[in-house]
Amino acid sequence: MTINWLKKNPKNNKSSAYIKEVDQSKKAILHYELIHSLDRYHLLEVNLETGRHHQIRVQLSHMGCKIKGDVKYGAKRTNKDGSIHLLARSISF
């Protein structure tokens, strides 16, 4: 589990993660489990306790685990089709 405080910047449609609460930030709780690792890539199962703007992308990047193809949050290059490697297996509300 990782807990951060996220602050959204509407000017660049990006959020930032902080380890302590800052002005206008919202608490974000993310649970994750490492399923498999290769040399440079990891497969994670992620469950959100909160639902914040770009939460998975921001918190994983903040931990140093950038999503492949996600240049907005620190990946070095895009995927050929412009996508990022973030997929949902199931969604429930």
Side-chain angles (χ1 to χ4, degrees):
M1 175 174 62
T2 186
I3 299 173
N4 296 108
W5 280 260
L6 304 186
K7 184 173 181 179
K8 184 178 177 180
N9 181 344
K11 290 181 182 177
N12 63 2
N13 192 34
K14 192 173 174 181
S15 290
S16 298
Y18 300 90
I19 57 172
K20 295 181 180 178
E21 187 174 9
V22 298
D23 187 44
Q24 297 182 356
S25 64
K26 295 181 179 181
K27 190 174 186 177
I29 303 170
L30 179 137
H31 300 269
Y32 66 94
E33 181 181 347
L34 177 63
I35 304 298
H36 188 73
S37 283
L38 298 173
D39 291 336
R40 298 181 352 222
Y41 299 104
H42 310 287
L43 177 63
L44 303 176
E45 181 174 322
V46 175
N47 291 295
L48 297 172
E49 191 168 316
T50 54
R52 306 292 182 214
H53 180 259
H54 294 172
Q55 181 177 343
I56 297 170
R57 298 166 71 182
V58 176
Q59 287 188 279
L60 289 180
S61 178
H62 186 74
M63 293 170 24
C65 189
K66 298 162 187 71
I67 297 172
K68 185 177 180 298
D70 191 3
V71 294
K72 180 173 272 198
Y73 288 102
K76 292 184 180 179
R77 59 182 178 262
T78 62
N79 293 326
K80 290 180 182 180
D81 64 358
S83 68
I84 65 173
H85 279 80
L86 177 63
L87 306 170
R89 182 173 51 105
S90 68
I91 299 175
S92 60
F93 297 93

